[in-house]
Amino acid sequence: KVSTKLPVIKGLLNQVHILVLGGGLAYTFAKAKGINIGTSLCEEEMIETAKELMKEAEFKGKKLVLPIDAVCSKEFPKGEMKLEDTKTFDLTVDAGGIQDGWMGLDVGPKTAALFDQVLLSATKIVFNGPMGVFEVRPFDEGTKAMVDTLETVTKSGAITVVGGGDSVAALEQFQKIDAVSYVST
């Protein structure tokens, strides 16, 4: 739930230079920015809080990086889906966001590239939570890209900490459990 994560995000804004947000909670932030999110996960009562957090990040000079595209489906997947049954939407007001009837289930390729670019210079990264429904193809690509980025920065000397059951499960799924500095379940 977004409501349980927003107090943590607020606390992190005092500790970090850059905060990258993906996964289901990102859609509440997108909606707070006035971007259509279709039927994506959103806690309506947290939209004002998300707006406040974005303002606070800006005021404190922190970089809050949000998804710029999303891989979507018309329904929550019951099993593996074909890529042609999905659609990728840009998460901008100008592009119209996610069309009605579609739900964001993973960050898109533009977002994966953006997150990689932003994180490559990091010296410390805490990863807590997948970028999408990583258990089901093709909605595993965003999380796989993040895990690959973690492996790259770890090899470059960064300290990478992965915590939480889903995050650890993602490392295991992509056979990268040893690719990061620390794993906490």
Side-chain angles (χ1 to χ4, degrees):
K1 288 186 81 167
V2 175
S3 54
T4 62
K5 293 176 175 71
L6 291 183
V8 175
I9 292 168
K10 185 173 178 61
L12 285 172
L13 286 176
N14 294 318
Q15 307 295 323
V16 301
H17 301 288
I18 300 168
L19 186 59
V20 174
L21 297 179
L25 69 90
Y27 300 107
T28 299
F29 282 83
K31 190 159 185 179
K33 290 173 74 174
I35 299 169
N36 187 32
I37 61 165
T39 58
S40 304
L41 182 67
C42 179
E43 284 189 59
E44 297 288 334
E45 65 278 5
M46 293 283 102
I47 290 173
E48 286 305 312
T49 305
K51 287 179 183 177
E52 291 167 15
L53 286 169
M54 288 186 285
K55 285 180 188 170
E56 184 176 338
E58 186 177 353
F59 175 76
K60 291 181 175 183
K62 307 296 181 158
K63 190 170 186 175
L64 180 59
V65 186
L66 297 165
I68 56 174
D69 64 343
V71 180
C72 303
S73 173
K74 289 194 172 207
E75 60 185 18
F76 195 86
K78 295 172 183 67
E80 186 172 334
M81 292 182 72
K82 295 178 181 164
L83 193 56
E84 53 267 21
D85 293 331
T86 70
K87 194 169 182 181
T88 301
F89 295 96
D90 286 340
L91 291 177
T92 64
V93 174
D94 292 343
I98 299 172
Q99 289 176 2
D100 291 341
W102 291 83
M103 66 176 68
L105 295 170
D106 193 15
V107 297
K110 292 177 189 174
T111 299
L114 172 66
F115 287 0
D116 182 70
Q117 177 188 17
V118 167
L119 293 173
L120 283 179
S121 62
T123 57
K124 296 177 192 82
I125 298 174
V126 176
F127 175 59
N128 180 270
M131 297 293 104
V133 185
F134 73 95
E135 304 91 342
V136 180
R137 289 181 190 203
F139 307 108
D140 58 344
E141 291 298 317
T143 301
K144 182 176 186 325
M146 178 62 77
V147 168
D148 289 345
T149 297
L150 293 174
E151 180 179 36
T152 299
V153 298
T154 304
K155 286 180 179 176
S156 297
I159 297 170
T160 51
V161 179
V162 176
D166 285 343
S167 303
V168 175
L171 287 178
E172 289 171 344
Q173 178 174 317
F174 303 122
Q175 300 176 345
K176 303 278 185 169
I177 201 82
D178 295 324
V180 297
S181 307
Y182 301 99
V183 175
S184 173
T185 53

